[in-house]
């Protein structure tokens, strides 16, 4: 990394008149990468700061959620780099088993082929070919956003090293009897033909039907309700609550299962809610997870009545029908037998769908591989309880504990070809052998490897340490594990975060994978609605970056980021952030043209004006405030603090108040020029982590140094000047009050008005020239006639408005507005004084009327004051 040496800036550094993000962002990023600013040295003596990127899918592209999360991580890492930490932001991608296999299978389908036509090895070769040609486009998009990641360390979950880590931990878990094979209910996608994880199931309200069916006859009859009539072919019991008096006489008896010729028992189980429906439920252990548990408790058989394509396999007239066709046919057959007691259509209920292909999920009894999560989940919970790991915001801890304290065993096998193949071999005589990465698999006739691959979350759960070389004890692992912080969405707290916690503690001798989990919310549209293509409100962040620049998008996202809270965003907000970037550009350009400089020590405060001391006091307060917000992950608050300091205090007040000094020249101008240079230097460094591109251009121009990326992070010098702050606040009061009066009188902002200022005896006297310039106030001439006098902040501003406004027309307009406000007040008072109205009106209606009354009172006071201040005719 090149040393950040001091260089002499040009005597008159120049900037283009306008900031053009598209012309600078790409070049700047390439330069940063070429100079190795984002790389991390495991042999460095600097303290480490490590963050992993939540690995995006190799099939993915940058969406607003990525842009949001990456902006926050990049801001953290850029600041830490400037603070002197050896900073590693670890990049990489997930192989995304189902998603990637689906993409390549669709390509094959265009050629009239399936993966089975190629065979397993050739298909996997085809996936690798696709990955090399088309996968990972998100990496280029991350560069567009400005992600400061260590590209030389980029990893992929199917890399040789990461694959070795997967096989190592599988073997370790297997040997410790924490991985086992068993037949249980799983989420099955009949389209993708694989088990899928809970995270890959999307629930939505579907229109279905609720059918009530009479099982049995006469006194033994019992009615059950179901939305999935087709599964009744696999019923092996009816369950009731043991304390339900309605059915006690049936418990232990067998009743007839319609259409099948079978008889099934009635069992008593506390899982049944006697208040729901009829209080009796059909039990289908092979096709429902709750029913499976009931079946286990009561020793019931599990009858699978569908194959992997969700086609009915039960013998009889329904065999060969798709599940939805069978549902209709079975209800029709039951209706013909007089078994249908009630039907409700449509019946809206929550139904799980495959997140990849949107097919309705089918709970299915299947032989799968599982992780016994009990001891792992306990360790993950204890690490947060004992303070090893902090969750931010803290109120999210409850959700974390609710999850890890109630985890079910984890199904880790997937019926795919793309992924980490389970390292288990089956022998001809039922032998099962798990093979580690340095072991030879068994050979000989009859030995075959497990065909299933591992759940993608299995490999991504190793991400914080597998990317650093584990299971080898590398320098990088020693330096950068555990991670300093994990920044991720609360939506995957239960899935990815919990798995990393379990695996990190297990593999790394009880050391958790990170010190802090910083959770953020989801990006939504400006109305708070979830973004979705189907809603028509999805946004491609690249479009906004093309239009407004990457800094504008980043600042908008950071400004909306309150911990754990969803983030609304609209295009007009990005446009506003673009205006902020332009404001920084234009103000810095003005400062450079008017003496802002950084050479030499700051002058002694005794040489500074009150305005200079005020802005330096505000500057140091801002440094302290921004540091505190960063340490608390309060991105919205730190962005607001920077926005208001830069726009309001530096540009709108300090620069404007100092113009008369700069224009006058002399020693005081040199002092203020050095102060302005200091303020811009620190301000641009503070802004850099959030808006890196515009600040890089401006800071290097201002200082002549190599890059703000490797500049020192500002420190609070401790300088405070309460007297100067109070003095400038008085100036601001005068200017603000007179500007308000001018606006009320209909004066244009640039319209000049003769005025007398009585400032003697106040702290305002030294600022008369600046006040006059800011307020466009001309000296009072011989013909001066004070038509309005404003007492403010211990001073008096007398204005001569004769000839500047049509007094009679203005009085007429204000009188009309006053009448309207008084009428509004009278109407509101009448309603609020009506007891009958108050007794019937909703609270929100009454609150609106009270708000109208308060506004009317404020309008009356304002208009009355404006009328009093009008010049007399």
């Amino acid at each position: 990394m090149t040393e950040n040496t001091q260089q002499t800036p040009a005597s008159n550094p120049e900037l283009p008149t306008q900031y053009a993000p598209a012309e600078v962002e790409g070049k700047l990023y390439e330069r940063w990468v070429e100079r190795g600013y984002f790389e991390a040295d495991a042999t460095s003596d600097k303290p480490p700061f490590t963050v992993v990127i939540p690995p995006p899918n190799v099939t993915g592209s940058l969406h607003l959620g990525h842009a949001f999360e990456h902006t926050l991580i990049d801001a953290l890492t850029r600041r830490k780099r400037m603070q002197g930490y050896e900073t590693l932001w670890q990049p990489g991608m997930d192989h995304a088993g189902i998603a990637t296999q689906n993409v390549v299978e669709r390509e094959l389908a265009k050629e009239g082929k399936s993966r089975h036509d190629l065979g397993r090895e050739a298909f996997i070769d085809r996936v690798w070919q696709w990955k090399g040609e088309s996968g990972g486009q998100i990496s280029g998009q991350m560069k567009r956003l400005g992600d400061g990641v260590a590209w030389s360390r980029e990893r992929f979950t199917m890399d040789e090293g990461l694959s070795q880590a997967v096989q190592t931990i599988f073997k370790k878990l297997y040997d410790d009897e924490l991985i086992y094979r068993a037949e249980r209910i799983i989420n099955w996608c009949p389209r993708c033909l694989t088990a899928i994880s809970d995270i890959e199931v999307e629930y939505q309200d579907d229109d279905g039907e609720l059918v009530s069916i009479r099982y049995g006859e006469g006194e033994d009859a019992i009615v059950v309700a179901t939305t999935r009539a087709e599964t009744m072919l696999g019923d092996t019991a009816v369950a009731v609550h043991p304390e339900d008096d309605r059915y006690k006489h049936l418990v232990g008896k067998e009743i007839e299962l319609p259409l099948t010729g079978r008889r099934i028992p009635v069992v008593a189980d506390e899982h049944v809610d006697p208040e729901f429906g009829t209080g009796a439920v059909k039990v289908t252990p092979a096709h429902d997870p709750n029913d499976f548990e009931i079946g286990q408790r009561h020793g019931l058989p599990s009858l699978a009545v569908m194959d992997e394509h969700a086609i009915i396999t039960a013998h009889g007239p329904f065999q060969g029908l798709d599940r939805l066709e069978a549902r209709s046919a079975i209800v029709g057959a039951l209706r013909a037998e007089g078994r249908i007691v009630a039907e409700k259509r449509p019946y809206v209920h929550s139904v799980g769908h495959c997140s990849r292909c949107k097919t309705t999920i089918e709970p299915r009894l299947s032989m799968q591989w599982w992780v016994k999560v009990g001891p792992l989940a306990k360790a993950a919970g204890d690490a947060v309880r004992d303070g090893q790991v902090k969750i931010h915001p803290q109120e999210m801890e409850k959700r974390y504990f609710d999850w890890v304290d109630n985890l079910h065993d984890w199904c880790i096998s997937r019926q795919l070809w793309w992924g980490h193949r389970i390292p288990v071999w089956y022998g001809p005589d039922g032998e099962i052998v798990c093979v580690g990465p340095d072991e030879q698999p068994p050979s000989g006739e009859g030995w075959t490897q497990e065909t299933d691959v591992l759940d993608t979350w299995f490999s991504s759960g190793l991400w914080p340490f597998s990317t650093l070389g584990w299971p080898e004890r590398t320098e990088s692992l020693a330096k950068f594990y555990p991670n300093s912080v994990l920044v991720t969405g609360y939506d995957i707290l239960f899935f990815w975060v919990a798995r990393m916690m379990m695996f990190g503690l297990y593999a790394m001798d009880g050391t958790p994978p990170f010190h802090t989990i910083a959770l953020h919310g989801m990006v939504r549209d400006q109305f708070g609605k979830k973004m979705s293509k189907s809603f028509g409100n999805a946004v491609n962040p690249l479009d906004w970056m093309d239009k407004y620049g990457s800094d504008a998008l980043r600042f908008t996202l950071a400004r909306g980021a309150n911990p754990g809270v969803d983030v609304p965003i609209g295009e007009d907000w990005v446009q506003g952030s673009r205006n902020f970037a332009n404001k920084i550009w234009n103000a810095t350009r003005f400062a450079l043209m008017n003496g802002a400089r950084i050479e030499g020590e700051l002058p002694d405060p005794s040489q500074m004006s009150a305005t200079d001391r005020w802005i330096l006091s505000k500057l140091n307060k801002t440094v302290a405030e921004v540091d505190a917000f960063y340490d608390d992950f309060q991105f919205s608050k730190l962005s607001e603090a920077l926005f208001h300091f830069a726009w309001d205090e530096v540009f709108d007040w300090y620069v404007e108040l100092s113009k008369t000094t700069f224009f006058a020249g002399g020693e005081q101008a040199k002092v203020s020029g050095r102060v302005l240079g200091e303020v811009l230097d620190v301000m641009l460094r503070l802004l850099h982590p959030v808006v890196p591109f515009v600040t890089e251009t401006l800071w290097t121009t201002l200082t002549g140094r190599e890059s703000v990326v490797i500049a020192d992070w500002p420190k609070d010098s401790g300088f405070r000047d309460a007297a100067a702050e109070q003095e400038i606040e008085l100036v601001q009061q005068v200017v603000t009050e007179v500007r308000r009066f001018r606006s009320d009188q209909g004066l244009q902002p640039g319209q000049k008005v003769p005025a007398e200022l009585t400032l003697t005896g106040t702290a305002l006297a030294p600022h008369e020239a600046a006040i006059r310039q800011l307020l466009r106030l001309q000296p009072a001439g011989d013909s001066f006639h004070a038509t309005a006098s404003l007492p403010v902040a211990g001073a008096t501003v007398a204005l001569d408005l004769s000839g500047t406004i049509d007094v009679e027309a203005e009085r007429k307009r204000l009188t009309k507005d006053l009448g309207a406000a008084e009428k509004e007040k009278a109407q509101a008072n009448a309603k609020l004084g009506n007891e009958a109205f108050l007794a019937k009106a909703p609270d929100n209606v009454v609150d609106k009327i009270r708000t109208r009354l308060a506004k009317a009172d404020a309008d009356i006071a304002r208009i009355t004051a404006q009328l009093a201040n009008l010049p007399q005719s």
Side-chain angles (χ1 to χ4, degrees):
M1 188 180 292
T2 307
E3 186 180 354
N4 187 28
T5 54
Q6 171 77 43
Q7 300 173 9
T8 303
S11 57
N12 288 300
E14 293 183 359
L15 290 167
T17 55
Q18 291 183 324
Y19 177 50
E23 296 177 11
V24 301
E25 290 179 350
K27 295 175 184 176
L28 285 181
Y29 192 86
E30 287 178 11
R31 189 172 74 190
W32 292 336
V33 173
E34 288 170 2
R35 294 182 178 180
Y37 294 158
F38 305 139
E39 295 304 323
D41 181 3
T43 65
S44 167
D45 292 333
K46 297 178 182 178
F49 182 82
T50 317
V51 182
V52 295
I53 190 172
N57 288 350
V58 67
T59 58
S61 60
L62 191 74
H63 57 63
L64 269 180
H66 289 130
F68 173 56
E69 186 168 80
H70 290 200
T71 293
L72 305 187
I73 300 174
D74 196 40
L76 287 176
T77 54
R78 285 179 182 269
R79 172 177 175 255
K80 285 295 182 180
R81 189 177 295 113
M82 295 171 75
Q83 286 182 312
Y85 287 79
E86 193 62 41
T87 302
L88 169 60
W89 184 8
Q90 173 67 55
M93 287 183 293
D94 192 285
H95 65 278
I98 295 177
T100 306
Q101 180 158 319
N102 280 348
V103 167
V104 178
E105 284 194 274
R106 283 196 295 269
E107 285 194 352
L108 287 174
K110 295 175 185 175
E111 303 170 14
K113 299 178 182 177
S114 73
R115 61 183 163 115
H116 300 285
D117 295 324
L118 272 66
R120 185 169 190 140
E121 289 188 13
F123 176 76
I124 291 173
D125 288 342
R126 180 68 177 261
V127 179
W128 278 109
Q129 178 185 341
W130 173 87
K131 192 247 180 194
E133 295 172 355
S134 306
Q137 64 173 340
I138 196 171
S139 295
Q141 296 165 347
M142 288 164 57
K143 295 174 182 177
R144 282 286 314 277
L145 188 65
D147 285 5
V149 299
W151 287 112
S152 69
R153 292 173 173 267
E154 186 175 13
R155 304 304 299 268
F156 181 54
T157 49
M158 290 286 285
D159 284 350
E160 182 178 350
L162 270 66
S163 296
Q164 182 183 20
V166 168
Q167 192 172 354
T168 299
I169 202 163
F170 186 97
K171 170 70 171 174
K172 180 174 171 59
L173 288 163
Y174 183 86
D175 289 347
D176 288 346
E177 298 184 349
L178 293 173
I179 282 183
Y180 63 94
R181 189 168 182 249
E183 191 175 42
R184 292 191 179 176
I185 294 285
I186 44 89
N187 300 309
W188 181 265
C189 177
R191 157 60 183 81
C192 298
L193 297 179
T194 181
I196 65 174
S197 67
D198 292 337
I199 188 66
E200 292 160 328
V201 179
E202 292 181 349
Y203 288 90
Q204 66 183 48
D205 288 340
D206 286 358
D207 286 345
E209 60 182 3
L210 182 66
V211 182
S212 297
I213 309 167
R214 189 183 74 252
Y215 286 17
E217 298 291 347
E219 293 183 356
D220 291 346
I222 191 168
V223 175
V224 299
T226 180
T227 58
R228 304 175 69 228
E230 68 277 11
T231 63
M232 68 161 291
L233 301 176
D235 286 359
T236 56
V238 170
V240 298
H241 193 275
E243 301 301 322
D244 194 333
D245 291 335
R246 293 172 295 176
Y247 303 119
K248 279 188 175 181
H249 68 288
L250 290 176
V251 174
K253 289 187 176 182
E254 289 189 343
I255 59 173
E256 180 187 352
L257 177 65
L259 305 181
T260 66
R262 289 192 291 115
R263 295 185 67 80
I264 58 176
V266 177
V267 298
D269 195 279
E270 291 188 351
H271 170 77
V272 179
D273 180 1
E275 303 298 324
F276 182 77
T278 63
V281 297
K282 58 192 286 299
V283 182
T284 320
H287 293 280
D288 183 275
N290 292 322
D291 293 2
F292 178 78
E293 297 296 332
I294 294 174
Q296 292 290 100
R297 287 193 288 272
H298 296 277
L300 301 174
S302 296
L303 300 181
V305 295
M306 289 181 229
D307 66 12
E308 65 270 23
H309 297 279
I311 301 298
I312 299 298
T313 58
H315 295 295
F318 312 109
Q319 187 174 5
L321 294 180
D322 171 82
R323 55 184 166 170
L324 297 182
E325 296 172 333
R327 181 178 301 171
S328 177
I330 287 170
V331 170
L334 290 167
R335 189 183 297 113
E337 288 190 4
R339 295 280 182 178
I340 301 297
V341 175
E343 297 178 72
K344 184 177 181 181
R345 295 188 185 90
Y347 179 73
V348 179
H349 61 131
S350 182
V351 177
H353 296 259
C354 175
S355 63
R356 301 301 175 191
C357 67
K358 311 308 176 186
T359 302
T360 300
I361 291 300
E362 188 63 45
R364 184 168 188 257
L365 187 63
S366 178
M367 182 68 75
Q368 302 286 342
W369 285 91
W370 304 80
V371 171
K372 187 184 296 182
V373 300
L376 303 175
K378 182 182 184 303
D382 290 345
V384 174
R385 287 189 173 94
D386 64 20
Q388 286 189 80
V389 179
K390 305 288 186 185
I391 293 181
H392 191 279
Q394 191 174 2
E395 54 265 27
M396 287 286 182
E397 282 187 2
K398 183 180 183 301
R399 297 180 66 178
Y400 176 78
F401 293 136
D402 286 346
W403 180 258
V404 297
D405 293 346
N406 297 284
L407 268 180
H408 298 293
D409 285 359
W410 171 19
C411 176
I412 56 172
S413 46
R414 298 291 178 266
Q415 290 64 55
L416 304 170
W417 286 356
W418 173 244
H420 296 101
R421 193 166 177 181
I422 291 176
V424 168
W425 271 255
Y426 302 111
D429 297 318
E431 304 97 327
I432 299 179
V433 176
C434 179
V435 177
D438 300 322
E439 300 171 351
Q440 289 295 321
S443 57
E445 187 175 348
W447 283 93
T448 59
Q449 186 179 356
E450 169 65 72
T451 57
D452 288 356
V453 300
L454 288 164
D455 177 12
T456 297
W457 295 100
F458 191 94
S459 52
S460 62
L462 314 181
W463 193 247
F465 52 93
S466 64
T467 53
L468 298 173
W470 187 89
E472 300 298 324
R473 295 291 172 171
T474 64
E475 285 184 324
S476 290
L477 188 66
K479 177 75 173 181
F480 297 114
Y481 187 91
N483 286 197
S484 307
V485 62
L486 174 73
V487 180
T488 191
Y490 62 69
D491 58 323
I492 56 173
L493 173 64
F494 315 129
F495 305 103
W496 186 47
V497 179
R499 281 150 173 69
M500 286 191 291
M501 286 285 284
M502 290 191 294
F503 281 166
L505 289 159
Y506 175 75
M508 298 300 293
D509 303 319
T511 302
F514 17 73
H515 297 302
T516 302
I517 302 168
L519 298 171
H520 59 72
M522 305 295 102
V523 178
R524 297 182 178 272
D525 72 11
Q526 59 190 343
F527 306 108
K529 189 175 182 180
K530 180 181 178 181
M531 285 192 173
S532 166
K533 290 181 181 178
S534 60
F535 294 155
N537 63 351
V539 174
N540 183 345
L542 295 172
D543 292 342
W544 282 353
M545 286 192 280
D546 288 342
K547 194 170 182 180
Y548 303 111
S550 298
D551 284 334
L553 177 64
R554 289 170 62 111
F555 192 72
T556 304
L557 292 166
R559 202 173 177 187
N562 289 299
V565 178
D566 289 347
V567 183
I569 184 172
E571 184 170 1
D572 55 337
W573 303 343
V574 185
Q575 185 175 353
S577 295
R578 188 271 312 273
N579 295 343
F580 178 52
N582 288 342
K583 182 78 169 180
I584 300 170
W585 181 274
N586 293 333
T588 304
R589 184 170 178 272
F590 168 84
L592 290 170
M593 293 169 61
N594 287 276
R597 59 189 180 85
I598 64 161
E599 303 94 342
E601 296 295 323
L602 271 175
D604 188 83
S606 63
Q607 298 175 273
M608 298 179 189
S609 68
T611 308
D612 294 334
R613 298 194 305 276
W614 163 76
I615 197 63
L616 288 176
S617 185
K618 287 288 190 179
L619 175 68
N620 281 286
K621 282 185 175 180
T622 302
V623 172
E625 193 175 32
V626 168
D627 273 335
F629 287 143
Y630 260 117
D631 293 341
D632 199 34
F633 305 102
Q634 297 280 358
F635 295 97
S636 176
K637 290 182 179 179
L638 72 89
S639 299
E640 284 294 315
L642 288 169
F643 175 87
H644 289 296
F645 175 73
W647 193 303
D648 299 345
E649 293 173 335
V650 178
F651 303 145
D652 279 0
W653 285 109
Y654 180 73
V655 170
E656 294 299 322
L657 286 170
S658 301
K659 278 183 178 178
T660 53
T661 302
F662 291 136
F663 295 160
E667 286 304 312
Q668 192 58 52
K670 291 181 181 179
V671 170
S672 293
R674 179 65 186 89
V675 170
L676 179 55
E678 181 76 9
V679 170
L680 291 176
D681 170 21
V682 173
M683 183 193 75
L684 291 170
R685 282 185 282 150
L686 288 174
L687 281 164
H688 172 72
V690 181
V691 284
F693 294 107
V694 67
T695 52
E696 171 80 337
T697 305
L698 295 175
W699 190 85
T700 52
T701 303
L702 170 70
T703 66
R705 296 175 186 170
E706 182 183 321
S707 175
V708 70
V709 177
I710 51 172
D712 291 336
W713 181 252
K715 294 181 179 178
D716 176 9
S717 70
F719 178 80
R720 302 287 191 275
D721 193 323
E725 289 190 38
Q726 187 175 14
E727 185 171 325
I728 300 306
E729 284 173 11
L730 292 176
V731 175
Q732 292 172 324
Q733 286 180 37
V734 172
V735 173
T736 301
E737 188 62 33
V738 176
R739 277 178 174 167
R740 184 181 296 116
F741 175 78
R742 286 176 56 109
S743 175
D744 288 344
Q745 302 307 315
L747 296 178
Q748 294 301 312
Q751 190 172 352
K752 295 182 178 180
V753 178
E756 271 186 355
L757 274 61
T758 306
L759 306 177
T760 54
T762 71
L764 295 167
H767 304 283
E768 179 169 354
I771 291 172
R772 283 188 176 276
Q773 179 172 315
L774 287 169
L775 292 172
R776 303 296 189 267
L777 301 180
Q778 293 177 320
D782 294 337
S783 61
F784 178 79
H785 172 61
T787 59
S789 183
L790 303 177
V792 56
T796 302
V797 179
L799 304 172
D800 183 354
L801 301 181
S802 57
T804 59
I805 59 173
D806 185 336
V807 176
E808 289 307 316
E810 186 66 9
R811 181 175 283 113
K812 186 176 180 180
R813 181 185 71 80
L814 289 172
T815 301
K816 181 179 178 182
D817 290 347
L818 180 61
E822 288 173 338
K823 182 179 179 181
E824 176 74 3
K825 178 178 180 178
Q827 290 176 342
N829 273 328
K831 286 189 176 181
L832 294 174
N834 186 333
E835 294 296 334
F837 170 78
L838 292 176
K840 295 180 180 179
D843 289 344
N844 65 319
V845 173
V846 176
D847 287 342
K848 284 181 180 179
I849 294 171
R850 288 187 176 126
T851 301
R852 284 169 49 194
L853 177 60
K855 183 178 182 302
D857 281 333
D859 287 344
I860 290 169
R862 175 179 55 81
I863 298 168
T864 301
Q866 288 176 237
L867 281 166
N869 281 316
L870 280 177
Q872 298 302 311
S873 303

